[in-house]
Amino acid sequence: MSELRAGLLGVGMMGRHHARVLRELPGVELVAIADPGGDPHGVAGRLPILPDIDALIAEGIDIAVVAVPTRFHEDAALRLAEAGVHTLVEKPIADTVEAGQRMVDAFAAKGLVGAVGHIERFNPALQELRRRLEAGDLGDVYQIATRRQGPFPSRIADVGVGKDLASHDIDLTAWVAQSTYRTVFAQTAHKSGREYEDMVTATGRLANGTVVSHLVNWLSPMKERITIVTGERGAFVADTATGDLTFYANGTIPLEWESVSSFRGVSEGDVIRYAFAKREPLRVEHENFRDAVLGEQTDVVTMEQGLRTLEVVEGMLRSARTGVAVDF
């Protein structure tokens, strides 16, 4: 089978990594790159830097990756859909739910694969966590809590921390739990003098009853990427910054300390940090996208799923503005 001809729109901070992985991916040939801002990181190699999406499409590509600022996603995606090009759009899917819905409809009408780059789903710690939850290692899942904190990224100028970072946690939480969101309540803060929020605290419940919470900001001097899943048999802690997964088991040894034994809940048990292969999440994401285009069943983040994630983010921001919970 001939290789899929790939085009890349945008070679900024994220696009440069897409370029590298596309060049390494079996069954795919990177044949065209477009960026009206040029090639700041020098990733084009022998390929010319094309001026716009129309020039990219004219190269006869089969698949495309869109890695431009969020406000440009819709226009690029709709042009690619009209041209019959399977497309992976960086997260979030769009800057508004309405724009995201138009993208979903366009790709569905053409029978094309439309995907969204929620890369955290492909982090090895979360992949291993999902496998162990499916195997029943935790029993019933009670709660999923995430913490995503770090310094301000100066390259992000067109969205707030909700769409930029909280969207990761919403997608991975729904995927880990295999359930959509039922309700969410949130608070936001604006501390950096920008138009958009830079701090979000949210709580909610999934359709399957799991309680969730998300602590997100880009005002912290340390970087933290933690997902904690608490359930019947203990708790999993996934650190997606390092790719580590640790299991804290409920204790089975009887307590003899009177002041502690009066507590009727669980106690500390064994702690296990698992060893497993840690593949680059971006490469795994691209493999899933490639295989989906080839007609295989994969766990690619569909545009429909990306739209649902954006709806939850918009619900969080609406809850923060109104002071009331939002139901889905």
Side-chain angles (χ1 to χ4, degrees):
M1 180 178 293
S2 60
E3 292 184 326
L4 294 171
R5 291 173 58 83
L8 172 61
L9 178 64
V11 283
M13 292 296 291
M14 193 64 196
R16 61 177 177 165
H17 296 297
H18 283 292
R20 171 181 55 81
V21 172
L22 285 168
R23 284 193 167 101
E24 299 171 350
L25 197 62
V28 172
E29 180 186 4
L30 179 61
V31 299
I33 294 175
D35 194 319
D39 185 15
H41 302 291
V43 301
R46 297 180 179 179
L47 294 175
I49 294 292
L50 303 174
D52 52 35
I53 186 65
D54 293 326
L56 192 72
I57 292 171
E59 293 294 315
I61 56 178
D62 303 306
I63 64 174
V65 175
V66 175
V68 293
T70 307
R71 63 183 182 276
F72 301 124
H73 286 186
E74 180 189 9
D75 179 69
L78 294 184
R79 289 174 183 266
L80 289 163
E82 183 62 28
V85 180
H86 305 281
T87 302
L88 169 67
V89 179
E90 263 302 334
K91 60 82 195 167
I93 183 174
D95 56 348
T96 68
V97 169
E98 293 75 18
Q101 185 64 64
R102 289 189 288 268
M103 292 165 61
V104 168
D105 294 342
F107 280 82
K110 290 284 189 174
L112 297 167
V113 175
V116 183
H118 285 288
I119 193 172
E120 283 287 65
R121 186 185 294 196
F122 303 100
N123 188 282
L126 294 175
Q127 293 266 313
E128 182 69 14
L129 168 60
R130 179 72 202 123
R131 283 191 289 269
R132 291 185 177 275
L133 291 178
E134 286 181 336
D137 290 5
L138 194 59
D140 290 340
V141 175
Y142 301 153
Q143 181 188 62
I144 300 176
T146 67
R147 301 196 304 270
R148 187 173 299 272
Q149 306 179 89
F152 176 72
S154 58
R155 64 188 176 87
I156 303 298
D158 60 342
V159 295
V161 73
K163 291 179 181 177
D164 181 54
L165 289 188
S167 59
H168 279 309
D169 293 317
I170 291 165
D171 175 74
L172 73 85
T173 296
W175 175 71
V176 162
Q178 295 291 287
S179 179
T180 57
Y181 278 70
R182 179 192 300 168
T183 186
V184 69
F185 176 80
Q187 299 281 356
T188 60
H190 298 70
K191 298 297 183 181
S192 61
R194 299 170 68 250
E195 175 185 356
Y196 303 102
E197 79 288 344
D198 41 39
M199 181 173 287
V200 176
T201 299
T203 60
R205 188 179 296 272
L206 304 183
N208 66 3
T210 302
V211 176
V212 301
S213 68
H214 307 298
L215 184 63
V216 188
N217 75 69
W218 52 33
L219 296 176
S220 297
M222 81 292 187
K223 187 173 182 179
E224 187 176 39
R225 302 287 187 265
I226 299 294
T227 299
I228 303 172
V229 182
T230 304
E232 181 181 5
R233 298 174 183 167
F236 282 110
V237 178
D239 186 333
T240 56
T242 63
D244 290 332
L245 179 66
T246 304
F247 178 58
Y248 294 81
N250 290 346
T252 57
I253 300 174
L255 294 171
E256 299 180 3
W257 184 7
E258 183 178 355
S259 63
V260 175
S261 62
S262 61
F263 173 60
R264 300 301 182 186
V266 301
S267 60
E268 294 180 5
D270 295 332
V271 179
I272 304 170
R273 186 166 68 86
Y274 297 106
F276 49 86
K278 296 179 180 179
R279 304 184 64 222
E280 182 185 5
L282 187 61
R283 184 180 179 90
V284 178
E285 179 180 68
H286 272 284
E287 289 173 351
N288 274 262
F289 176 54
R290 175 201 62 194
D291 294 347
V293 170
L294 296 175
E296 298 182 22
Q297 185 70 34
T298 74
D299 206 21
V300 68
V301 183
T302 66
M303 283 191 174
E304 291 84 354
Q305 292 171 339
L307 179 59
R308 286 200 295 270
T309 293
L310 181 58
E311 288 172 341
V312 176
V313 173
E314 292 280 22
M316 288 169 46
L317 300 179
R318 186 164 67 252
S319 172
R321 289 193 303 269
T322 62
V324 297
V326 173
D327 296 326
F328 303 98

